[in-house]
C-alpha cells in the first residue's frame, strides 16, 4: 500500500492575498458591467485590501468586434499596455475584451481578461464558450457587433451593459458581469497563489 501525502486545503495559498493596503487599479473600460466585474474579482482575491479603481477609455488595437480567439486575446493585452501608457502610477492595469469565434458552423461568444503588473508581466484567462443563436450569427455576418445583434434578436436595449448574451441565453442565471468576474479571478491566481511565489 502506497502512502500518499495529501496537502491540507489552503496549504499553498500565498499570503499576499491578505494584504490590507490600497490597491490602485486602472481599468481599460468605461463600461459599468466591466468595472463591477473588476471590483468583484479583486475583492475576492484580495479581501482585506481597499480598491481604488480608475476607469479609462483606451483603444484595443483590434476590430471593434473581434472575430477570433487570437484577436480577442490581443485586444485585452493591448488595452493593458495602452492603459499603462496613459496612467503609469498604478499597481495593476486590467484589459477585458469580449469577442466571438466560429467553431465549425457554431459561433461562440467568449472573452479574455488580462492583468498587467508594474514589472511588465501580464496574467490572462479566457472565459467559457457560449453558443450563439443562428440569427445572431447571421446579423453579425451583415456587420453588426454582438451587442447590437443580441438587442435585435432579443428585443432589448444596450444588453452589453446589462447581462449580455450570457444573461439573455440563460434567463439571467449567468450574466456577462459574473462570467467576466469569474474569469478575471482566474487571471489573478498567479498573483495570490504560493506556486507562483517569486
Amino acid at each position: 500500500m502506497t502512502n500518499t501525502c495529501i496537502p491540507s486545503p489552503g496549504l499553498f495559498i500565498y499570503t499576499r492575498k491578505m494584504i490590507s493596503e490600497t490597491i490602485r487599479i486602472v481599468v481599460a473600460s468605461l463600461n459599468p458591467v466591466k468595472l463591477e466585474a473588476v471590483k468583484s474579482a479583486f475583492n475576492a482575491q484580495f479581501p482585506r485590501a481597499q480598491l481604488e479603481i480608475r476607469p479609462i477609455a483606451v483603444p484595443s488595437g483590434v476590430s471593434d468586434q473581434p472575430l477570433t480567439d487570437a484577436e480577442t486575446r490581443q485586444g485585452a493585452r493591448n488595452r493593458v499596455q495602452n492603459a499603462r501608457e496613459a496612467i503609469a502610477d498604478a499597481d495593476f492595469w486590467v484589459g477585458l475584451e469580449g469577442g466571438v469565434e466560429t467553431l465549425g458552423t457554431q459561433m461562440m461568444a467568449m472573452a479574455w481578461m488580462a492583468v498587467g503588473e508594474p514589472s511588465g508581466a501580464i496574467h490572462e484567462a479566457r472565459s467559457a464558450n457560449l453558443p450563439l443563436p443562428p440569427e445572431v450569427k447571421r446579423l453579425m455576418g451583415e456587420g453588426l457587433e454582438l451587442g447590437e445583434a443580441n438587442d435585435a434578436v432579443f428585443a432589448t436595449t444596450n444588453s452589453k451593459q446589462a447581462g449580455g448574451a450570457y444573461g439573455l441565453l440563460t434567463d439571467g442565471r449567468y450574466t456577462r458581469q459574473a462570467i467576466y468576474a469569474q474569469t478575471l479571478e482566474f487571471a489573478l491566481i498567479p498573483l495570490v497563489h504560493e506556486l507562483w511565489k517569486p
Side-chain angles (χ1 to χ4, degrees):
M1 181 176 178
T2 302
N3 290 325
T4 303
C5 179
I6 301 175
S8 61
L11 179 63
F12 295 115
I13 298 301
Y14 186 27
T15 54
R16 268 202 296 180
K17 182 173 183 177
M18 308 313 291
I19 65 174
S20 58
E21 62 192 32
T22 297
I23 298 178
R24 298 165 302 167
I25 308 161
V26 176
V27 182
S29 178
L30 304 180
N31 186 322
V33 167
K34 292 183 178 182
L35 296 176
E36 283 300 314
V38 171
K39 180 179 178 181
S40 175
F42 273 85
N43 275 332
Q45 294 289 31
F46 301 95
R48 294 188 182 177
Q50 297 295 314
L51 305 182
E52 182 182 297
I53 297 176
R54 184 169 178 181
I56 182 174
V58 296
S60 68
V62 298
S63 306
D64 289 340
Q65 176 58 73
L67 296 176
T68 67
D69 178 73
E71 186 181 19
T72 306
R73 181 188 180 202
Q74 190 61 53
R77 294 177 66 88
N78 289 348
R79 288 186 189 279
V80 167
Q81 300 289 15
N82 291 333
R84 189 200 311 269
E85 290 177 9
I87 303 176
D89 187 21
D91 299 303
F92 299 106
W93 297 264
V94 180
L96 311 89
E97 191 75 19
V100 300
E101 64 176 341
T102 302
L103 303 177
T105 60
Q106 177 63 63
M107 179 174 279
M108 302 280 193
M110 48 74 192
W112 274 92
M113 310 291 124
V115 181
E117 291 191 87
S119 67
I122 296 179
H123 308 284
E124 305 167 288
R126 183 190 191 273
S127 76
N129 277 341
L130 175 73
L132 296 170
E135 183 63 9
V136 169
K137 178 182 177 182
R138 185 188 69 79
L139 291 173
M140 292 188 68
E142 294 179 355
L144 269 63
E145 293 184 22
L146 176 57
E148 296 169 333
N150 285 333
D151 287 343
V153 171
F154 292 95
T156 57
T157 302
N158 201 22
S159 59
K160 67 180 182 179
Q161 292 195 7
Y166 290 96
L168 291 169
L169 289 167
T170 64
D171 292 329
R173 292 190 304 279
Y174 301 91
T175 64
R176 189 184 193 205
Q177 180 178 316
I179 294 296
Y180 278 27
Q182 178 193 63
T183 307
L184 186 54
E185 278 192 53
F186 295 160
L188 290 169
I189 286 174
L191 296 169
V192 300
H193 200 287
E194 177 71 18
L195 293 177
W196 277 266
K197 183 178 179 180

